[in-house]
Amino acid sequence: MEQADPRELQSLQYYLNEYGQQAEVFARQLEMMDQQRVEAFAAIETLRSLGEAQDGTVLLPLGGGVSVRATVPDPEKVLVAIGADVTVERSNEDAISFLEGRARELEASEKKVAETIENLKGQMNEIAARLDAAYRQQQQIAPGR
């Protein structure tokens, strides 16, 4: 029985660490996309209730769990950030459609990122199994070390 090449073991350990770091980055990205999607749905619900408000009074969140009652003079016209620091005025229904489209795009992106994470985990499991087998082989060759 021959001993495993230390350079190969070191290389496998390096790849295992790299894949682990990549998986963490993708997991954080997945969390951010999920949060954006949840925010889009919350905005959609708010826009729908804004259109239904009799006197135009809504709760405006300020942060930290604090809200104020605010009167919206024209609930049928809202400002929508469309990216690159550009904001446009849209009708309430157009804003809802825009947000629904954004939520669908985020959901599709989330699926792709989740697949990437699963692929990385599969590769990590293969590498970990190879490392484990190599270490067990070393222990069988030199059990007293």
Side-chain angles (χ1 to χ4, degrees):
M1 219 184 268
E2 72 179 57
Q3 191 168 348
D5 182 8
R7 290 178 298 190
E8 181 183 359
L9 295 177
Q10 186 178 18
S11 178
L12 288 172
Q13 189 63 52
Y14 172 79
Y15 284 123
L16 187 61
N17 292 341
E18 283 295 312
Y19 288 157
Q21 289 175 1
Q22 287 178 13
E24 286 178 28
V25 169
F26 282 120
R28 283 193 299 271
Q29 186 178 9
L30 189 61
E31 287 175 20
M32 288 183 350
M33 285 189 280
D34 186 53
Q35 183 178 3
Q36 289 173 345
R37 191 173 49 81
V38 167
E39 287 175 7
F41 284 127
I44 289 168
E45 289 305 311
T46 301
L47 286 170
R48 286 189 175 133
S49 65
L50 181 63
E52 297 168 0
Q54 298 295 328
D55 60 356
T57 301
V58 295
L59 288 177
L60 176 66
L62 300 176
V66 176
S67 299
V68 295
R69 286 184 178 79
T71 303
V72 179
D74 189 3
E76 285 306 311
K77 295 292 180 187
V78 297
L79 300 175
V80 179
I82 59 172
D85 292 330
V86 176
T87 302
V88 295
E89 184 176 276
R90 296 245 174 116
S91 71
N92 192 314
E93 282 303 312
D94 285 346
I96 289 172
S97 295
F98 175 80
L99 289 170
E100 288 172 338
R102 181 183 284 173
R104 281 190 299 274
E105 289 173 6
L106 284 166
E107 201 169 326
S109 294
E110 284 180 80
K111 286 180 184 177
K112 289 178 184 176
V113 171
E115 287 174 10
T116 301
I117 291 171
E118 286 305 310
N119 289 339
L120 283 170
K121 285 182 179 180
Q123 290 173 335
M124 289 171 64
N125 288 339
E126 287 176 26
I127 291 171
R130 286 176 59 190
L131 276 170
D132 187 48
Y135 287 133
R136 272 192 266 125
Q137 181 184 12
Q138 279 186 331
Q139 287 178 345
Q140 288 175 353
I141 292 172
R145 288 187 195 178

